Amino acid sequence: MRNQYMAKVLVYNKIVTEEQVNAYSGQVTDSKDIGQVLVEAGILKPAIYQKVLAYVRDLEAKNAQAESAAAANAAAIAAAKEKAAKETAKAKEQARPAAKPAAKAEAPKEPAPVSNDGGLQIEGNDIYGKSSISANEVETVAGLESTQLAEFKPTTVEPEPAPAAPATQAPAAAAVEESASALPERFAVESGEGAPVQAPETLAPTTPLAEMIAFARKFNATDIYLYPDRQVAMRQSGNIVPVTEDIMSVDELSRRLDEVGDCFDDGYKISQGENFSKTAGVPGVGRIRLSVTWFEGVPSASIRIIQAESASLESLYLPPFCESFAELTSGLVLIAGPSFSGRTTTMLTYAETIMRSREAYIQTVEKPIERLLRNTTGAVAQREVGLHVHSGVEGIKLAVNNGADVILFDHLENMEELSLLLQASNAGALVFAVTTGNNIHALLSRLLASVPEASRTSFAYTLAEQLKGVIVQQLVPVVQNQGLILACEAMKVTSTVANMIRKNDLSQIAAAISSQHDQGITLDDSLQKCVESGYIDGFEAWKRAYDNRRFASYRSAK
């Protein structure tokens, strides 16, 4: 199975082509896998092979654990069945009348065999290209349905069908309990690719949802809002504007939700009264994030348009020194800000910058996956909490065990996650983590205060050692509704700042950031530059400034 996994990972991540795999497949032996063959041929670099091999071994380990558990369960069921059969035979023997000849005991009927073709489910297809249902749950690699690897077909042995357990047996109850906490069987991550959907000239409540999304992308809207008995609205340049003349009825809103119901990555089905927020790939228009809330049996929906195109650090207008964070080989970089401030976009842009500049094995842990990454110089694995891993903690541990060079975490929710990320950076990984916060002083103070006092000193020393940079960002509307621009407070962690963190005394950190010049910038300085450059008006700066007295003269402008 190793050759199948390795070939698919290499092809999907565009490290090698499918033609190269098929051309060298004849040189594969029991002692030499396809990766080693490609290394010897000079097509695959040894460092990348080791990264892919670690990833494949993890998949094999999961498969082995699943098979071991299935075998143990089958043995327990067989033992219970044999015991039940003996007890039944004994009871019949005792109940038989003495005057009559012994009747032949009826053999218990064999249960119907469980269907299992032995293939592992990968995107709904097994390695032979046939539909299959696997009893084993493994992490799959997206986008590999069309890959043909006929040369790697192994000779498989059909497993013995496992007998069904009686309803009263403990193993059956254990299986039910296990299935309740299991991850979804479908591990695909849909990209929303397909025939492009053309944006209409105007919208109406009856317009199909895909066309609404295409319209939003055409006019750079970031969100679509569907509320019953209201006009359809979109957020453009930070402002919410109606885009239909007619109001949307409850029936039309339900139809729009039905249109996206089949696009969820994990096969989720919308249920009345159940609030949720999930990403989906809508064919022809890309990925979205749909949030639905219910009130008295009536739904309301907001749709976040997920950016499909790659960005550059230069296009984000971050301070120049922030570009150096992509050159780090280890350490922790925190990216903070309020909701809808573009934090995830900034984090993924760092990942794409690293991909373009050097070979790296990148793993993400996201809640949920938004934009899909393509690594042309290394390997990338994106995992969604609830879809590929049960929790953020499990995702971090998996990334560390797989030897990831770069870990992207979106977003921090508890101190256990932060502690594991600090351990990962201490072990040599470069970590980017998204969290909440309005300024650097408040963010670091909150992190330190979240740790029990008994262990705060050791935590502060670890944080001071591993933290390399902090970005706290906001998106501000550009004048005349021409879009949004990023204003931020950012800093490199210098020895001065690190000493403040160790001492748990951050009272002078704002002054330290201001004095760093080319290694730090305050939010107020960033807003001032945006005003002076003509990107934003002073009133927007006054609303967002840490010390709004600096922009008090603009207060009466509105």
Side-chain angles (χ1 to χ4, degrees), residues 318-538:
L318 287 168
F321 67 85
C322 290
E323 297 180 13
S324 64
F325 296 154
E327 301 171 1
L328 296 170
T329 57
S330 65
L332 171 66
V333 177
L334 293 175
I335 303 171
S339 299
F340 310 125
S341 60
R343 299 168 299 178
T344 302
T345 298
T346 299
M347 181 184 72
L348 296 180
T349 301
Y350 272 108
E352 290 169 329
T353 302
I354 292 171
M355 292 175 188
R356 291 191 290 265
S357 62
R358 66 178 188 265
E359 295 178 355
Y361 181 27
I362 298 175
Q363 288 201 25
T364 75
V365 182
E366 302 175 67
K367 309 173 185 178
I369 292 174
E370 292 195 353
R371 183 150 54 91
L372 303 184
L373 300 176
R374 296 290 183 266
N375 194 349
T376 58
T377 59
V380 60
Q382 291 181 263
R383 294 188 173 90
E384 179 174 320
V385 174
L387 182 61
H388 306 100
V389 290
H390 286 95
S391 65
V393 168
E394 181 182 332
I396 298 169
K397 291 179 178 179
L398 189 59
V400 173
N401 292 338
N402 287 347
D405 299 312
V406 182
I407 300 174
L408 279 65
F409 192 86
D410 182 16
H411 70 277
L412 280 171
E413 293 181 343
N414 55 63
M415 292 306 299
E416 184 178 7
E417 293 172 343
L418 177 58
S419 296
L420 286 173
L421 291 176
L422 288 171
Q423 293 177 25
S425 66
N426 188 49
L430 175 57
V431 179
F432 292 88
V434 167
T435 184
T436 55
N438 293 321
N439 58 73
I440 293 176
H441 179 273
L443 169 61
L444 297 180
S445 297
R446 174 170 57 84
L447 295 181
L448 292 170
S450 299
V451 180
E453 190 172 353
S455 55
R456 189 171 301 163
T457 299
S458 60
F459 173 80
Y461 269 77
T462 302
L463 183 63
E465 182 69 23
Q466 298 303 321
L467 187 63
K468 305 302 180 184
V470 183
I471 300 172
V472 180
Q473 62 186 51
Q474 294 193 25
L475 288 177
V476 186
V478 177
V479 294
Q480 299 178 354
N481 295 328
Q482 298 182 60
L484 299 168
I485 191 169
L486 188 145
C488 70
E489 181 170 85
M491 71 170 185
K492 276 186 176 180
V493 178
T494 62
S495 58
T496 301
V497 173
N499 285 332
M500 292 181 183
I501 296 174
R502 290 189 189 96
K503 297 175 181 178
N504 196 10
D505 181 8
L506 305 176
S507 58
Q508 298 300 314
I509 196 165
I513 295 172
S514 297
S515 65
Q516 290 181 185
H517 301 298
D518 60 343
Q519 299 185 76
I521 185 171
T522 64
L523 175 60
D524 292 356
D525 287 340
S526 179
L527 290 169
Q528 184 71 51
K529 288 185 177 182
C530 290
V531 172
E532 292 175 352
S533 301
Y535 284 110
I536 68 174
D537 60 46

Side-chain angles (χ1 to χ4, degrees), residues 36-101:
Q36 293 170 309
V37 170
L38 294 174
V39 169
E40 291 180 356
I43 297 173
L44 180 64
K45 295 185 177 181
I48 296 300
Y49 167 72
Q50 293 298 327
K51 299 295 184 182
V52 175
L53 180 62
Y55 181 81
V56 170
R57 283 174 174 170
D58 180 65
L59 296 182
E60 292 175 333
K62 288 184 178 180
N63 184 20
Q65 291 175 359
E67 290 178 349
S68 176
N73 190 43
I77 292 173
K81 177 183 173 184
E82 182 179 357
K83 180 179 179 181
K86 289 181 179 179
E87 291 177 352
T88 301
K90 182 178 180 180
K92 287 184 178 180
E93 181 68 26
Q94 293 174 347
R96 183 184 299 124
K100 293 183 179 181

Side-chain angles (χ1 to χ4, degrees), residues 228-398:
D229 301 324
R230 295 186 186 180
Q231 296 168 289
V232 177
M234 294 186 182
R235 183 183 293 274
Q236 187 182 46
S237 300
N239 300 315
I240 299 177
V241 295
V243 292
T244 63
E245 294 184 359
D246 299 330
I247 64 173
M248 172 164 279
S249 66
V250 175
D251 290 340
E252 286 298 336
L253 176 51
S254 298
R255 292 188 184 98
R256 301 292 82 78
L257 295 181
D258 290 341
E259 291 170 3
V260 77
D262 295 330
C263 300
F264 293 118
D265 300 339
D266 57 0
Y268 176 83
K269 299 300 180 183
I270 299 175
S271 300
Q272 184 172 2
E274 183 175 340
N275 298 340
F276 69 91
S277 179
K278 300 183 71 65
T279 53
V282 181
V285 291
R287 289 178 65 77
I288 62 170
R289 184 171 184 172
L290 174 67
S291 300
V292 176
T293 56
W294 296 79
F295 180 71
E296 296 182 350
V298 178
S300 298
S302 63
I303 301 170
R304 167 58 57 90
I305 308 299
I306 296 175
Q307 179 183 351
E309 300 80 11
S310 298
S312 64
L313 290 176
E314 295 83 1
S315 66
L316 298 183
Y317 298 103
L318 287 168
F321 67 85
C322 290
E323 297 180 13
S324 64
F325 296 154
E327 301 171 1
L328 296 170
T329 57
S330 65
L332 171 66
V333 177
L334 293 175
I335 303 171
S339 299
F340 310 125
S341 60
R343 299 168 299 178
T344 302
T345 298
T346 299
M347 181 184 72
L348 296 180
T349 301
Y350 272 108
E352 290 169 329
T353 302
I354 292 171
M355 292 175 188
R356 291 191 290 265
S357 62
R358 66 178 188 265
E359 295 178 355
Y361 181 27
I362 298 175
Q363 288 201 25
T364 75
V365 182
E366 302 175 67
K367 309 173 185 178
I369 292 174
E370 292 195 353
R371 183 150 54 91
L372 303 184
L373 300 176
R374 296 290 183 266
N375 194 349
T376 58
T377 59
V380 60
Q382 291 181 263
R383 294 188 173 90
E384 179 174 320
V385 174
L387 182 61
H388 306 100
V389 290
H390 286 95
S391 65
V393 168
E394 181 182 332
I396 298 169
K397 291 179 178 179
L398 189 59

